[in-house]
Amino acid sequence: SWLPRSDSTLFAAERAEAGDMSDPSTAQREIKKLESAGDFLQAYERARQAMAAEPADARHKYIAVRCLARSGATRQALDLYE
């Protein structure tokens, strides 16, 4: 028989699907996967989430700049870099 999942289970499933952005290695793996698929703007959004979760980690900013540049948004990439 089908039983509905609890809210906490749904939340956990959504987190697993979206990636746990509080874990830098998880965030970077997800971003790399998005970049490999050519989805640079979505990868940029994930990098921004990672930047918000860990503002002291410069890798996330670098990745965000790289994603913007690869998407063709060079002015925004330069602005973020500076």
Side-chain angles (χ1 to χ4, degrees):
S1 77
W2 181 84
L3 296 174
R5 296 186 297 182
S6 69
D7 288 341
S8 62
T9 304
L10 283 172
F11 183 66
E14 289 170 1
R15 267 196 334 255
E17 182 178 307
D20 182 3
M21 296 312 285
S22 64
D23 177 11
S25 60
T26 301
Q28 289 173 14
R29 279 193 305 271
E30 183 170 347
I31 292 164
K32 188 173 185 175
K33 182 178 175 183
L34 289 165
E35 286 183 300
S36 294
D39 196 350
F40 299 115
L41 292 178
Q42 186 64 34
Y44 165 72
E45 287 301 321
R46 294 292 193 221
R48 281 180 20 110
Q49 291 172 358
M51 285 172 55
E54 286 190 276
D57 191 339
R59 291 176 297 177
H60 301 308
K61 182 177 178 182
Y62 165 77
I63 292 168
V65 169
R66 183 180 72 203
C67 292
L68 281 173
R70 287 180 176 174
S71 75
T74 52
R75 179 77 250 162
Q76 292 87 342
L78 285 169
D79 289 344
L80 181 57
Y81 177 74
E82 297 169 349

